[in-house]
Amino acid sequence: GKHISGARPDGLQLCKGGATITMTVAKSDVDVEKEVGEATKNGIPVIIYFTADYCGPCKLVAKELQRLDLVRKAKPVKILTVDSQSSGSLATRLGISALPTLLFVGTAGPSEPVIRTQGVVSKQMIADILDNKLHFAGTDLTRSKRLF
């Protein structure tokens, strides 16, 4: 599949200096679990971004994710891009029914409920979720469920 602009499979640092935003294209369910585990173990929140080539609104969300550093200076976050066409099993297992969908995994890790947004969201809203709900425990924006 194609990558969102600005994302590479090996992880692209989007911010100069602080390397605060890491965007990675997840190739498999195992990849997602490994990346989420490593990041949260190091106290870095994760956004799992479900997208597809045919999804117009997804391209808008990709731009907002890439501009996140404009509103969250020097605060680390890992963004995992999942192509829902090539990783359909993960999308199904996590109940992804619309694109784009963002799953926010807090620093407490995947055992805590995640926050889910569907549709186009602004970089400011993404930053607000990250900054105000880093642990996310007990928070329910639409429907919280455990990740793995």
Side-chain angles (χ1 to χ4, degrees):
K2 290 181 181 168
H3 311 307
I4 60 164
S5 56
R8 294 193 321 232
D10 57 342
L12 174 67
Q13 307 300 337
L14 292 178
C15 303
K16 295 180 178 75
T20 54
I21 299 176
T22 309
M23 285 186 99
T24 307
V25 177
K27 294 292 184 201
S28 68
D29 297 16
V30 175
D31 213 10
V32 171
E33 291 191 40
K34 184 175 88 81
E35 295 277 359
V36 167
E38 283 175 13
T40 55
K41 192 172 64 189
N42 292 314
I44 298 171
V46 179
I47 298 172
I48 306 173
Y49 163 57
F50 287 87
T51 184
D53 288 343
Y54 61 82
C55 171
C58 295
K59 292 171 180 53
L60 297 173
V61 171
K63 285 187 175 131
E64 292 300 295
L65 288 169
Q66 290 167 4
R67 295 180 183 136
L68 198 51
D69 62 311
L70 299 175
V71 289
R72 285 189 92 240
K73 302 249 182 275
K75 293 180 189 169
V77 62
K78 181 170 207 71
I79 300 168
L80 289 175
T81 301
V82 178
D83 183 327
S84 60
Q85 290 171 293
S86 58
S87 296
S89 63
L90 180 65
T92 302
R93 187 159 57 102
L94 296 177
I96 306 302
S97 58
L99 296 176
T101 293
L102 299 179
L103 297 182
F104 294 79
V105 185
T107 54
S111 61
E112 294 292 349
V114 299
I115 290 179
R116 164 188 310 249
T117 64
Q118 291 181 338
V120 176
V121 287
S122 69
K123 62 185 173 294
Q124 189 60 59
M125 182 178 176
I126 295 166
D128 288 347
I129 293 170
L130 287 169
D131 293 339
N132 297 322
K133 309 284 186 211
L134 273 183
H135 288 280
F136 302 163
T139 306
D140 185 359
L141 277 194
T142 54
R143 176 179 45 163
S144 288
K145 70 195 299 189
R146 287 175 182 266
L147 196 56
F148 304 120

